[in-house]
Amino acid sequence: MLEASNLECVRGERRLFAGVSFRLEGGEMLYLQGQNGSGKTSLLRMLCGLTPAVSGEIRWRGEAIGKLGEEFRSELCYLGHQNAIKEELTPLENLLSAARMAQESLDEDAALDALDRVGLSGRADLACRYLSQGQKRRAALARLVHEKRALWILDEPYVALDPAAGKFVASLVGAHLQRGGLALLTTHQAVAIPAGTVRELSLGADAAAHRRS
Amino acid sequence: MLEASNLECVRGERRLFAGVSFRLEGGEMLYLQGQNGSGKTSLLRMLCGLTPAVSGEIRWRGEAIGKLGEEFRSELCYLGHQNAIKEELTPLENLLSAARMAQESLDEDAALDALDRVGLSGRADLACRYLSQGQKRRAALARLVHEKRALWILDEPYVALDPAAGKFVASLVGAHLQRGGLALLTTHQAVAIPAGTVRELSLGADAAAHRRS
Amino acid sequence: MHWNSLADFLAMGNHGLYVWGSVLMMALLMLAEPILLRHGRKKLVARLRRQYRAERSEARRNSQANPGRSKD
Amino acid sequence: MSNRVINWFRYASPQTFYPLAGQLIPWFWALAALFGALGLTIGFLLAPTDAQQGEGYRIIFLHVPASWMSMFIYLVMAFWAATGLAFNTRLSGMMASALAPTGALFAFLSLWTGALWGKPMWGAWWVWDARLTSELILLFLYIGFIALQAAIDDPRRADKAGAILALVGVVNIPIIYFSVKWWNTLHQGASVSLTKAPSMAAMMLWGMLFCALACWMYSIAVALTRVRTIMLERERHTDWVRALLADKE
Amino acid sequence: MLRLLRAVISRDLRLAMRRQADIVAAMFFFIIVVSLFPLGVGPEPAQLRRLAPGVLWVAALLASMLSLPRLFADDHRDGTLEQLALAPQPLGLIVLAKVIAHWLVAGLPLVLLAPVLGIQFDLGADALVVLMLSLLLGTPALSGIGAIGAALTLGVRGGGVLLSLLVLPLYIPVLIFGAGAVDATVSGLGPQAHLSLLGALALGGVFFAPWPTAAALRVALE
Amino acid sequence: MLRLLRAVISRDLRLAMRRQADIVAAMFFFIIVVSLFPLGVGPEPAQLRRLAPGVLWVAALLASMLSLPRLFADDHRDGTLEQLALAPQPLGLIVLAKVIAHWLVAGLPLVLLAPVLGIQFDLGADALVVLMLSLLLGTPALSGIGAIGAALTLGVRGGGVLLSLLVLPLYIPVLIFGAGAVDATVSGLGPQAHLSLLGALALGGVFFAPWPTAAALRVALE
Ligand code: HEM
Ligand SMILES: Nc1ncnc2c1ncn2[C@@H]1O[C@H](COP(=O)(O)OP(=O)(O)OP(=O)(O)O)[C@@H](O)[C@H]1O
Ligand SMILES: Nc1ncnc2c1ncn2[C@@H]1O[C@H](COP(=O)(O)OP(=O)(O)OP(=O)(O)O)[C@@H](O)[C@H]1O
Ligand SMILES: [Mg+2]
Ligand SMILES: [Mg+2]
C-alpha cells in the first residue's frame, strides 16, 4: 500500500540519506532506526508530504502522494515530536477539537473513554499546561485510541511515558496492525509490539556501513 | 549534605505527595521514580528552590536553602525537561554563554571538547534549530561534561537520546559521583550508572501503597 | 425645603438630564454590585455543597467497596 | 511582643476573619444607608442653588465622593499588597483582589458623573485636563490589575503578581498626576479651572461629607462581602469551609 | 465544509475565551493608544477634532495588528499546524475560519468601542456612525491581509516585528479609505465612495487572502 | 558583577543579531507608524509641525513596546530563565543586563533614526536635537518600566496584549515629558526642565525597575 523508492534527503549541505526504498502492506509496521540526527524525523515528514523529497517517489495505493493530496491525508494520522495539544485547553477539549477539525466523528463519551484508557481520567478537565511532561504526551496519544485511519506515522511516541503507558501505546499499535492498518514508528526505547509484522529499516552511519559491507 | 524532611507538594487542588524525606551524602545518587504526574519534576524544582514547599524543609550542608540563597545556587546544576538552549545560537555558543552566565570559566577548547564527546563535533557551528530532537538534548547535556558543581539535578536526561548517547550520560553521572558529587535523577528508561551508590525513592500511588503496607 | 414642586425638582434648572443621568448610573451600579456579589456567592455555595456531597458519597461508596481499607 | 504578633496573624487568618466580617457587614450597610440618606437629603433637597452653575452643580454630591474613593481605594489596595508581600499572609492578597473591582467602579463613576457635569458646564463631555486624565489612567491601572489577576489562575501566583503591579502603580500615580498636571498647564492657560472649587456653603460641605462617608461605608461593606466569597472559593478544601457549609444544610 | 469552519472558529474562540485577557486587552490597547495621542500632541479640542479620524483608524489598525503574530504561531509551536496541514480539507478553508475568528476577537470589539472614543475627540453623531461603519468594513480586511503576513513570518524568529513591517504597507489603502470616510463626513462630503471601496477591500481580504496564506503556511512547515 | 552584565548583554545582542529582523524591524515599525499619520490626518505642513513631537514620541513608545513580550518569553519557553534564576548572582542584576540589551536593540536605533523622521515633519534643527536628546533619555526608562510588565505577564497566555495594557499607563509620564521637551523647544521655551525630569525617570526606570521585575520573574517560575 505504501511504497517509497529511492528517497533522498538533503538538509543544509548534508545528505542525510539516499536510496531509501521500502514497501509496506496492510498489517505491517516499519520500525525506523538510527542514531540521533540520522534523518528519521525527516523521512517521516517526507512520507507525510510535509517536506518534498529531493529525489525519489512515494506512492500510496499505487499513486504518488503529491497527486492524491487530500485523499491521502484523509487516511493518514501523524504524531510528531511535538504534542499538538493546546496548553490552554483541557485534554478533553483538545481531543474533541482535534477530531472535529480532522472531520472525524468522536462523541464526548468516546473521548472520555479514550482519556480514561491513557490514564488521564482524573485530569480530563484540567488545562493541559498543568499536566506533567508524560501526561501531555498521553493527552496527545489519546487520539490513537479511537483512530481508524489506515496509516499511522508516529515519531518517538514513547518519549516521556512511564513503562506502563508505553506498553499501552504498543498495544494500541498492535491492535491497529491486526485491523489491517499500517504503521511507521521511530523510537530509541525498545517496546515490543504485541501483534502484526514488524519490519526494520536503519538510517544513517550504521545503515551506510551495512550497505557497504 | 542534602537533606529533605517532610516535604509536601500541593498543585491546584491535588496533594501530590507529603512526608517525603531523604538524606543524600557525597558520592550518592538518588534515583527518583514514579508514574507520569506523580510529582517528580515538582519535587526536583522544589529542591532547586524554584517552587516553595507547602511544608517541610530542605537543607544543604545543614542550612536551609532559602537562607543560603546564592551560596546554594552556586553549587547547583539543574537540567529540566526543557533544554535551555537557544535555537538561534550554535551548540558552541550556547555552551559558552551558559557557562559565562553561570560565572564559570570555560574556554573554547574545553567547550569544543565537550561537544565532541557528546557527539556534536560536526554540528558545533550549526544553529540549534536545525538539530534533531536528540541532538538538541545532547547540546544541553554537553554542559555536564566539564561541570564541577557538587549537586546535579537532572530531570529525565535520557529523553530523545539514542542508546549510545544515553550510556555516555550515565558515565558522566558516574564520574561525578566518584568525584564525591551528589546527583538526583529521574527517568523512565533504566540506564545503569556505572559508579557510586544509587538510592531509590518512589513517589505517587506506588509509593503510597508501599508506605501503607 | 428648597424646591417648589416635583417638576422643578426633576427639571433641575434645565440640567435634569445630566444630574439624573449621574444619579441613575451611580444608583444602578451601586445596587448592581452587591446584587451580583450575592448572586455569585449563592452560586459558589451551591457549587461547593454539590461538590462536597459528591465527595462524601464517593467516599462512602469506596469504603463499602473495600471495607478493609482505612480512609486516607 | 510575640503575643501581639500571634494575635495579628490570628485575625489575618481567613478562618477567624470570615465570621468577623460576616458580623460587621450589616453594620456597615446600615451606616452606608444612613449617611447616604442624610447626604442626599442635604444635597438634593436642602442645599441652595449655586450662583454660577445653577442646579447642575448638585452632581458634586456624587462626583466628589466617587473621585475620592477611587483614589483612596487604590492606596488601600497597595497597602494590602505590600503587607501580602512582606508577611506572606493569605488574607492580604484576598483583600487586594476584593477591593479592585470596587475601586474600578468608583473610577468609572467619577468619569461618568464628571462627563455628565462637563457637558453643561464646559460644553464638552471630555477635555484633556490634568485631573480628568489622571483619573482615566487610574481606571486603566485598576483594569490592568483585574485583568492580570484574571489571567493567572493559580491564586497564590495571581496575588503576588497583582501585588507587584499595585506597588509599582502606587509609585507611579503621583508621578503620573504631576506630569499630567504640568503637561496641561504648560499647554493652555486656565480656560478650564478645576483648582478653585466654588466657595461652598456650609450646607454643601455637609452634604458632600455625608455622601463621602456613605461611599466609604459602602466600599467597606462590599469589599468585606467580596472577600468572604473569595475566601470560600480559595479555601474550599479546608475543613473550616466544609464545616461552615455543612452547618447550614 | 461549514462544519469545518464552525469547528475551527469555535476552537479559536474558545481559546480566546480561555485566555480571557485577549479580547478585553485588544480593546484596551485601542483605548489606550487613542488616549495617548492627546497626551502627545496637546489638549486643544479643535485640533483634536481634526485629528480624530486618523488617530482612531491608526489605533484600530495597530490594535488589530498586535494580535496577528499569535494567529498561527501558537499552532506552529505546539505542532497543531502540522495537524491542520495534514487534515483532509483544503488548508485555505481552515485559514478562512481562523481569519473569521481573529476578526471576531480582535476586530469586532474595536467597532463597538469606537464611538465612545470618538466622543473623547469631540466628534459629532454622524461622524461617529460613519466611523463605526468604516471600521465594520475595514477590520475584516485587516484580519485577512494580516493573515498573509502572519503566515509569511511564521517560524522566522523575530517575526513579530517583521510582520508589522510586511503588513503595514498593505494596510495603507484600508487606512486611507477608512480615515477618509470619516474625514469626508466631518467636512460635509458624503462618505459613500470611500465606504464602497472599503467594502471591496474587505471582500478581497477575506476571500482572496486565505489562499496565499495557506501556501505560505505550507512553505513554513517544510 | 560587570562580567555577568557583559555576559548577558553580549548573549542577548548576539541573539538579536542572529534574528536580524529584530533591530531593523523595530526601526521600520517606528518609520511606518510615523509615516502612517500624515496619511491618516492629511498633509498640511503647519499642522504636521505641531503634531510632530507627539506622533514621533507615541511611535517610539509603541515601537519599543512591541518587542517587550519577547524580552523574557523566549528564555522562559526554552528553560533558560530557570537557569538564570538558579545562577548564583542576584536575578535583579541579570534583569538589569537584559534591560540594557533591550535598550541597545529597541531603543538606541530609534534615537538615531528620529532626526531623519523629524525632518519629514518639518522640524527645525534645535527641535531635532532636543528630540534626539529626549529619546536618548526616555527610551531607557521605557525599557525599564516595560520589563516589569513583561515579567508580570510572563507565562500568562495572551500576555502580549495584556502587557501593553499594564505598561502603557506607566509610560505616560515619559511620553508627556518627552513630547513636552520637543514641544517646548518648538514653541520657544527651554526644554531643560522636561529633560531633567526625563533623566530622573530614566535613572529610576533602569535602576529601580529590575528589582520588582526579578520578583515577578520568580513568581512566574513557581
Ligand atoms: C470626566 C470628568 C471628570 C473627572 C474624571 C473628574 C475627576 C475628579 C477627581 C479625581 C476629583 C478629586 C480630586 C481632588 O480632590 O484632588 C475631582 C474633584 C472635583 N471635581 Fe471633578 N472630574 C471631572 C469633571 C468635573 C466637572 C465637569 C466639574 C465641574 C465643573 C468637576 C468639579 C469637581 C470639583 C468641584 C471637585 C472637588 C474639588 C476639590 O475637592 O478640590 N469635575 N474630580
Ligand atoms: N541546515 C542544515 N545544515 C546541516 N545539517 C542539517 C541542517 N538541517 C538539519 N540538519 C541535520 O539534519 C538532521 C535532521 O535529522 P532528523 O531530525 O531527521 O533526525 P532524527 O533521526 O529524527 O533524530 P532524533 O533521533 O534525534 O530525533 C540532523 O542531523 C541535523 O543536524
Ligand atoms: N492546577 C493543578 N490542578 C491539579 N493538578 C495539577 C495542577 N497543576 C499540576 N497538577 C498535577 O501535578 C502533577 C505534576 O507532576 P510533575 O510534573 O511533577 O510530574 P512528573 O512526576 O514529573 O511526571 P512525568 O513523569 O510525566 O514528567 C501532575 O499530575 C499534574 O496533573
Ligand atoms: Mg527525530
Ligand atoms: Mg516530569
Side-chain angles (χ1 to χ4, degrees), chain B residues 94-105:
Chain B
N94 265 306
L95 200 52
L96 288 174
S97 75
R100 233 174 293 134
M101 286 192 298
Q103 306 257 291
E104 287 170 58
S105 58

Side-chain angles (χ1 to χ4, degrees), chain A residues 11-14 16 35-42 81 156 188, chain B residues 123 126 130-135 160:
Chain A
R11 288 263 144 192
E13 305 155 13
R14 197 169 263 119
L16 288 182
Q35 302 172 319
N36 289 140
S38 54
K40 302 182 294 299
T41 299
S42 312
H81 281 301
E156 306 213 28
H188 298 297
Chain B
R123 262 64 166 199
L126 184 66
Y130 298 114
L131 296 183
S132 80
Q133 197 78 355
Q135 287 170 335

Side-chain angles (χ1 to χ4, degrees), chain E residues 94-107:
Chain E
I94 296 178
V95 170
L96 175 59
K98 284 186 80 76
V99 168
I100 295 175
H102 179 261
W103 180 73
L104 287 175
V105 173

